[in-house]
Amino acid sequence: MLIRRSATLAPSEITPRALFEQRRLFLKAGAATAAAALLPNLPARAGDRLAGVVKTPYDPGEPPTPLADVTRYNNFYEFGTGKEDPARNAGRLRTRPWSVTVEGHCERPGRYDLEDVLRWAPLEERIYRLRCVEAWSMVVPWVGLPLAAVLAHVQPTAQAKYVAFETLFDPEQMPGQNRSILDWPYREGLRMDEALHPLTLLAVGLYGEVLPNQNGAPLRLVVPWKYGFKSIKSIVRLRLVETVPETTWNRMQPDEYGFYANVNPAVDHPRWSQKRERRIGDLFKRDTLPFNGYAEQVAALYGGMDLKRYY
Ligand SMILES: Nc1nc2c(c(=O)[nH]1)N[C@H]1C(S)=C(S)[C@@H](COP(=O)(O)O)O[C@H]1N2
Ligand SMILES: [Mo]
């Protein structure tokens, strides 16, 4: 099935329920910020143990993919297009000092040091499924903070309907950027209710340790109900915007990669089926679940939307 349409949703189409949920989450995130005022600094080197990580009930109850696979089978085109290229080449990325610039429609724009951002909420361990659009998948014990906590801190105004994200642009550190395989820097975006959803995580670690560079150090997005390409790595910029932001893959191949990119076994990629997936380490394929198994938590965000059109 080939679906061509630009997948956008007018702000007027966001349901009142979604907006209500959004406000409720906002209040919760504010409380978390207050509780996290005094956290130890984050160790800087990949593999360093993260302290003070709160265990959460986010766990699909499936065995996590071995660390060796999570860190040696990656997509990170800034370091090459082969699955093993990022593990080989990402070592040259300098992840400290690191700052995140927040711009656009918010009360507190600015350039924030990563250490400060990490004081806005406690670090949590959450085990999520990751489903790549290429039909492989993993189970990863991430460590991070809810994106909602960061948004609560910078306070989006009523005009902010979407959050746009950008990866670092530095061809000296990211040699893949010397080739025009993608339109650099890598860009992604979420609708505000998706960005505020409690499942949406900004990860700084995995398996209890500082994120290896190839997995998106020092700060990467994880949106478990969407295809992996939405989970942008090595983020340096957040922009609060009023209209649907441009995203890298959507811009490259709009008929193959939609803005929403919700995992959906009923909507095939134009060149292959999305009905099944191979969990890394498994011999046989398994069925892909709607919203990657998170339908109960997120399906309501898309009530009334035609998910074949907004793919
Ligand atoms: N900046 C950047 N982020 C990126 C990518 C990329 O090439 N560059 N690849 C995406 C894709 S397609 C996937 S499947 C996931 C893979 O995450 P992992 O390597 O941690 O498993 O990262 C996503 N984030
Ligand atoms: Mo992917």
Side-chain angles (χ1 to χ4, degrees):
M1 176 189 330
L2 187 83
I3 301 136
R4 295 171 187 279
R5 291 288 307 206
S6 78
T8 59
L9 181 71
S12 59
E13 293 174 76
I14 298 175
T15 62
R17 161 130 187 132
L19 289 171
F20 168 77
E21 293 286 325
Q22 179 173 325
R23 242 170 269 128
R24 208 164 52 91
L25 291 171
F26 231 98
L27 295 175
K28 268 202 220 152
T33 306
L38 286 168
L39 282 178
N41 281 356
L42 185 77
R45 267 171 309 135
D48 281 353
R49 204 79 208 153
L50 290 164
V53 177
V54 179
K55 293 266 176 198
T56 63
Y58 294 95
D59 184 344
E62 298 167 39
T65 304
L67 178 66
D69 294 323
V70 176
T71 57
R72 276 177 227 159
Y73 189 89
N74 303 100
N75 271 340
F76 199 171
Y77 279 17
E78 286 84 341
F79 296 103
T81 52
K83 300 289 178 237
E84 289 166 23
D85 290 343
R88 249 196 313 269
N89 303 328
R92 69 172 79 187
L93 175 67
R94 293 184 300 271
T95 58
R96 288 294 187 290
W98 194 272
S99 59
V100 180
T101 300
V102 183
E103 307 173 338
H105 298 297
C106 65
E107 302 292 351
R108 303 176 71 185
R111 185 172 163 170
Y112 296 97
D113 196 82
L114 180 61
E115 302 283 339
D116 292 329
V117 174
L118 296 177
R119 276 185 206 104
W120 299 345
L123 289 182
E124 300 176 21
E125 179 175 83
R126 298 175 170 201
I127 307 177
Y128 283 166
R129 302 184 193 91
L130 174 88
R131 168 59 158 84
C132 178
V133 75
E134 296 165 65
W136 51 266
S137 61
M138 295 183 180
V139 177
V140 183
W142 299 106
V143 176
L145 67 163
L147 176 60
V150 172
L151 294 172
H153 190 89
V154 302
Q155 293 179 25
T157 64
Q159 269 164 292
K161 301 288 198 284
Y162 296 86
V163 185
F165 304 83
E166 263 179 42
T167 293
L168 175 70
F169 180 72
D170 184 350
E172 185 241 314
Q173 293 189 68
M174 294 180 147
Q177 292 176 334
N178 289 305
R179 297 164 56 206
S180 49
I181 28 168
L182 290 180
D183 178 27
W184 312 110
Y186 195 102
R187 290 188 198 88
E188 259 309 333
L190 294 173
R191 206 173 60 189
M192 187 56 76
D193 58 341
E194 299 176 323
L196 291 169
H197 193 279
L199 283 172
T200 304
L201 196 70
L202 280 172
V204 297
L206 54 79
Y207 271 98
E209 299 172 356
V210 171
L211 213 53
N213 288 2
Q214 60 267 36
N215 293 90
L219 187 70
R220 66 83 65 82
L221 185 66
V222 185
V223 194
W225 70 95
K226 294 178 182 279
Y227 290 115
F229 67 88
K230 296 296 283 185
S231 292
I232 180 172
K233 296 175 168 180
S234 306
I235 298 166
V236 291
R237 193 180 309 277
L238 263 64
R239 196 175 288 131
L240 288 304
V241 296
E242 195 159 9
T243 55
V244 187
E246 258 189 356
T247 64
T248 297
W249 287 104
N250 182 240
R251 202 185 144 116
M252 290 283 295
Q253 304 276 359
D255 57 325
E256 297 192 6
Y257 310 101
F259 175 78
Y260 284 94
N262 292 320
V263 174
N264 190 346
V267 176
D268 290 339
H269 183 280
R271 292 183 281 136
W272 58 80
S273 165
Q274 292 293 20
K275 287 190 181 58
R276 294 170 71 72
E277 69 198 54
R278 194 174 70 84
R279 182 68 48 81
I280 298 297
D282 284 2
L283 215 46
F284 299 106
K285 288 196 167 185
R286 63 177 69 205
D287 288 343
T288 284
L289 301 170
F291 297 104
N292 202 23
Y294 300 94
E296 203 182 309
Q297 293 97 321
V298 301
L301 298 181
Y302 310 99
M305 276 175 73
D306 176 357
L307 296 178
K308 295 203 153 123
R309 181 173 165 198
Y310 299 108
Y311 59 96

